[in-house]
Amino acid sequence: MSSESWTLVSLLAVLVTAMAVAAVVVAVRLFRARRLLRDAGVPENKKIIFWGALLYLASPIDLVPDPVYLDDIGILLLALRSLHKAAADAGAGRVPDK
């Protein structure tokens, strides 16, 4: 292969590695959020949103092709917004009255 081909292959390998690292970071943050939700007392049926968002993030089937992560970001934002509302409704983050 020519040097241009090796450069292209190397660049693609770096991009794929960067995307894989980003996916791992997002997954770790989501699992930490799950632990916080468990401690906050959010109802179990609201936590399904978390698992759905994580499944969609890892799924090979997307609304928009994978190089464009707009659909993944949108799903995660909707899940976080919904979970934030559920946590607020459950009383998470409130200081108990003395």
Side-chain angles (χ1 to χ4, degrees):
M1 286 200 317
S2 68
S3 63
E4 292 174 358
S5 297
W6 280 110
T7 304
L8 182 62
V9 168
S10 299
L11 180 62
L12 287 175
V14 168
L15 288 174
V16 167
T17 302
M19 287 192 306
V21 168
V24 168
V25 168
V26 168
V28 167
R29 287 186 180 183
L30 284 172
F31 277 105
R32 286 182 184 162
R34 182 187 60 89
R35 187 177 316 135
L36 289 173
L37 287 171
R38 182 177 6 128
D39 297 341
V42 174
E44 193 66 37
N45 61 351
K46 301 290 185 181
K47 293 178 189 176
I48 292 175
I49 296 168
F50 163 78
W51 291 109
L54 188 62
L55 181 65
Y56 185 79
L57 183 67
S59 172
I61 300 171
D62 283 337
L63 296 174
V64 179
D66 246 353
V68 181
Y69 287 113
L70 293 177
D71 59 331
D72 295 332
I73 292 169
I75 294 293
L76 290 174
L77 287 176
L78 287 173
L80 288 174
R81 188 166 153 196
S82 176
L83 290 174
H84 184 268
K85 183 180 179 328
D89 291 346
R94 293 187 187 140
V95 177
D97 295 333
K98 291 186 179 183

